[in-house]
Amino acid sequence: MKNNAIEKILFTKEEIQKRIKELGEQITKDYAGKKVLMLCILKGSVIFYSDLVRNIDLDCNFDFMVVSSYGNSASTSGQVMILKDLSGSIEDIDVIIVEDILDTGTTLDYLKKILMQRKPASLKICTFLDKPSRRTNNLTADYLGFEIPDEFVVGYGMDYAESYRNLPYIGVLSPKMYS
Ligand code: IMP
Ligand code: MG
């Protein structure tokens, strides 16, 4: 499977690790002296999350949500479902949402709204990838790994119909796989 489904590699293992180290340092600085709840949005951000938290030198707590907006297709259904909620309260807690990719912005806009109702001390967004050209609202990330063009990417946690999450790089999925 090395791998004619992948048209080209956008970011190698090494490029990913270098950028994550920088993101971790930035978060460590910004939250100095604070405790922060790192909120992993499963499943896509699991790999990014596990690399990121190990580059943050702070008192971190973990929590996880499972959110689904796609079904098995390559474009958003526009409907966000919470399949697993937080395991605890976030009231008065500094929270960083860790997401794989910011596309139309529908998922994070919705999540941000419902989490703000729970009165966190602060709520920021850290996304590994951003496709700004696809945005349908004015959502922006507070921390961003890489900006990418409007192409469907897989690997490093991201899937197409649940496959390719385990690729160690970010690749562009060949459109022949979904057209
Ligand atoms: P949004 O709600 O349109 O911003 O979509 C966000 C979610 O769609 C992400 O968390 C991903 O799960 C998925 N997604 C968007 N673009 C891609 C992509 O290029 N590859 C894989 N998943 C994607
Ligand atoms: Mg997905």
Side-chain angles (χ1 to χ4, degrees):
M1 121 138 203
K2 282 250 167 192
N3 195 328
N4 45 26
I6 304 302
E7 204 169 68
K8 66 174 179 245
I9 293 179
L10 281 188
F11 304 107
T12 63
K13 247 186 191 173
E14 292 72 25
E15 289 166 331
I16 291 170
Q17 290 309 318
K18 177 167 178 280
R19 184 68 190 117
I20 289 179
K21 187 162 179 283
E22 293 167 355
L23 279 176
E25 282 166 2
Q26 200 185 334
I27 290 171
T28 301
K29 230 189 193 168
D30 293 352
Y31 287 80
K34 292 184 178 169
K35 177 170 176 169
V36 58
L37 179 70
M38 300 299 291
L39 170 52
C40 178
I41 308 302
L42 296 171
K43 305 170 198 168
S45 69
V46 64
I47 313 271
F48 173 47
Y49 182 87
S50 63
D51 281 340
L52 179 66
V53 294
R54 284 178 290 177
N55 281 280
I56 296 176
D57 187 13
L58 295 169
D59 183 0
C60 283
N61 287 3
F62 288 12
D63 210 340
F64 302 87
M65 287 178 88
V66 181
V67 170
S68 169
S69 66
Y70 264 52
N72 284 341
S73 88
S75 66
T76 187
S77 66
Q79 280 210 318
V80 184
M81 280 182 299
I82 293 181
L83 305 179
K84 181 215 168 291
D85 206 336
L86 292 169
S87 59
S89 167
I90 54 168
E91 193 169 339
D92 295 329
I93 290 174
D94 290 304
V95 179
I96 300 179
I97 301 174
V98 180
E99 175 63 306
D100 52 359
I101 180 164
L102 186 50
D103 187 34
T104 64
T106 310
T107 308
L108 281 177
D109 189 53
Y110 175 81
L111 258 185
K112 219 178 156 179
K113 271 182 195 137
I114 61 161
L115 293 177
M116 282 310 289
Q117 290 167 2
R118 302 180 191 183
K119 309 205 177 343
S122 68
L123 183 64
K124 292 206 168 164
I125 291 173
C126 177
T127 183
F128 183 59
L129 299 178
D130 185 8
K131 287 187 211 170
S133 63
R134 295 258 306 158
R135 200 80 85 255
T136 57
N137 54 33
N138 56 15
L139 202 85
T140 55
D142 301 286
Y143 300 98
L144 167 64
F146 299 103
E147 208 173 280
I148 61 168
D150 181 11
E151 292 181 297
F152 198 82
V153 295
V154 294
Y156 198 66
M158 277 165 280
D159 73 307
Y160 173 65
E162 295 300 328
S163 289
Y164 311 108
R165 293 192 194 276
N166 59 321
L167 297 177
Y169 51 81
I170 298 281
V172 174
L173 186 67
S174 166
K176 69 173 187 275
M177 301 307 295
Y178 54 84
S179 57

